[in-house]
Amino acid sequence: MNPVFAAAMAGSHSTTGIEAGTAFTQPRPADTDKRIPSRPGFSPVRLRTLMKLAVERTGLDLSELTVLTEAATGAYAVTAVLAAMSGAKHVYALAKAGRHGTVADAKQETLELAAPLGVADRIEILEKISPEVLCNVDIITNSGHLRPLTAPLIAHLRNDAVIALMFEAWEFRREDLDIEACARRKIPVVGVNERHPAVDVFSFLGPLAVKQLHDCGLAVLGNRIGLLCDNDFLVPLRTGLASSGASVTTFDSAAAVHLEGWEAFVVALQPAAAPRIGQAEAAHLAACAPAGAVVVQFWGDVDRAALARNGFSLWPTQPVGQGHMGILLSEIGPEPIVRLQTGGLRAAEWVWRGGAVTRDGFAQLVPWQE
């Protein structure tokens, strides 16, 4: 998920939002790397166990294929290693320095994760991408260090190459890749069905929203929550909040909210050209809620200044990248990241091998032909 979602990672995964915009491509707090690696749930041993289970569940088989993805830190270090352990004959992994890690950090974490699996020799860490690399790959992932996938880059891909979106097709963001260039080359852009039983990332959305509310100081249990959601995140978010004891009422827009004793509004609105909550929407929400209500930005862009002018506290406190999620998927552990990355590769592999795209299958297509 850019939105979507959008994410999640405890490492150096680039933030263009939307871990992941995708909804799941997401911004990261500066202290992420200092905090996550010490958590036992993110240990390399456990990551490898989760990876093996995910490959087994999905049936990911990249044998004889060449993959171009990113080399990252934290939970996103799994991506290149998943490709190699699934039989890819060669994996190119682009590393970039950033506030979450250096090129050396990304290389070390990726190869240390790969070495005990016996696949480190098939992963080549790159600091730049040459045309020679591009014309050799079968699958290229829409990962943070690779974005944006520009028209010149796409022009060097082989005719049978496939782009793995790494989240659901409806979460596609035009700023991530040049969809017109893909249309000209007839290169499929493949989303992953995050609700497929073998992937099931959507089941983590509810616990993720609960975590976000807990972090901002709301117990969830017994609280009145207005859930603003106009997309497929609705059911898992509502279920997760309600199962934790919240009284949840859902609205498909800010304008639909009515007067009530809301403790918080959780915003999960599909990103658009303008913020989904601007001055008019913020004023309406303020008229519907008592003083002290909080606006929690799960996904979807909001006018922070407008909300502040209308007396709201906003969580997270730091601005969220356009189209990105307001919380990292990895805040509740590496499982959703491992599942999402494995599913994204599996969906691309399915299309590359000529599998039919069905409603209940792994793969979805971004409709560049329209």
Side-chain angles (χ1 to χ4, degrees):
M1 296 195 166
N2 206 307
V4 94
F5 349 231
M9 318 114 180
S12 69
H13 188 58
S14 172
T15 66
T16 74
I18 148 16
E19 204 343 214
T22 60
F24 292 123
T25 304
Q26 307 150 57
R28 304 183 190 191
D31 66 343
T32 298
D33 283 337
K34 298 175 184 176
R35 181 166 51 85
I36 293 292
S38 63
R39 295 163 69 182
F42 287 82
S43 72
V45 172
R46 184 164 188 268
L47 281 175
R48 284 189 286 268
T49 298
L50 292 173
M51 292 160 66
K52 290 174 183 177
L53 290 172
V55 170
E56 181 179 348
R57 275 195 309 269
T58 60
L60 178 62
D61 178 9
L62 298 174
S63 56
E64 300 309 312
L65 301 185
T66 297
V67 176
L68 172 59
T69 186
E70 68 174 357
T73 59
Y76 268 86
V78 304
T79 312
V81 183
L82 282 165
M85 67 186 287
S86 301
K89 64 181 179 182
H90 199 81
V91 179
Y92 296 107
L94 181 67
K96 288 184 178 178
R99 60 178 179 147
H100 304 294
T102 65
V103 170
D105 292 332
K107 181 175 182 179
Q108 177 180 339
E109 292 194 33
T110 299
L111 296 182
E112 285 186 352
L113 193 60
L117 297 169
V119 298
D121 61 337
R122 282 188 272 128
I123 300 174
E124 181 179 349
I125 309 296
L126 305 176
E127 294 187 50
K128 63 180 181 179
I129 304 173
S130 67
E132 292 73 23
V133 167
L134 291 171
C135 70
N136 193 42
V137 300
D138 299 293
I139 293 173
I140 176 173
T141 67
N142 173 45
S143 299
H145 289 167
L146 297 172
R147 289 196 300 265
L149 302 183
T150 62
L153 182 152
I154 292 166
H156 287 292
L157 295 176
R158 287 177 9 201
N159 290 333
D160 61 348
V162 170
I163 295 174
L165 192 61
M166 306 303 278
F167 44 83
E168 292 213 340
W170 64 275
E171 300 175 80
F172 168 72
R173 296 190 309 252
R174 297 187 68 88
E175 61 266 30
D176 281 358
L177 61 88
D178 191 323
I179 195 67
E180 286 78 16
C182 294
R184 289 192 295 271
R185 296 288 315 283
K186 300 189 182 302
I187 291 175
V189 179
V190 183
V192 54
N193 178 8
E194 296 174 25
R195 286 160 278 194
H196 189 284
V199 182
D200 196 22
V201 173
F202 268 36
S203 290
F204 292 90
L205 296 179
L208 196 64
V210 171
K211 174 70 163 62
Q212 200 173 22
L213 285 160
H214 285 171
D215 287 347
C216 81
L218 289 173
V220 181
L221 179 66
N223 283 339
R224 295 184 189 88
I225 307 294
L227 173 60
L228 280 60
C229 187
D230 60 355
N231 53 71
D232 290 353
F233 288 175
L234 177 62
V235 171
L237 286 175
R238 180 177 60 202
T239 300
L241 293 168
S243 66
S244 292
S247 174
V248 185
T249 304
T250 62
F251 306 96
D252 61 7
S253 69
V257 175
H258 56 70
L259 179 64
E260 185 61 83
W262 310 107
E263 274 87 14
F265 297 109
V266 174
V267 177
L269 296 168
Q270 181 90 29
R276 295 299 306 277
I277 298 182
Q279 175 57 39
E281 292 82 8
H284 177 72
L285 292 178
C288 294
V294 178
V295 172
V296 176
Q297 187 178 5
F298 186 83
W299 186 49
D301 306 321
V302 301
D303 185 333
R304 289 176 161 257
L307 286 164
R309 286 194 299 270
N310 283 276
F312 285 105
S313 297
L314 189 62
W315 191 266
T317 57
Q318 296 300 312
V320 175
Q322 185 176 3
H324 290 257
M325 292 179 69
I327 182 171
L328 310 175
L329 279 172
S330 62
E331 283 298 302
I332 55 173
E335 288 93 333
I337 298 302
V338 174
R339 286 170 173 263
L340 184 63
Q341 300 307 95
T342 310
L345 291 169
R346 180 66 169 105
E349 178 229 328
W350 180 267
V351 171
W352 190 91
R353 297 192 188 281
V357 177
T358 63
R359 181 180 181 87
D360 298 327
F362 285 103
Q364 304 170 343
L365 292 176
V366 176
W368 47 249
Q369 63 271 24
E370 294 182 356

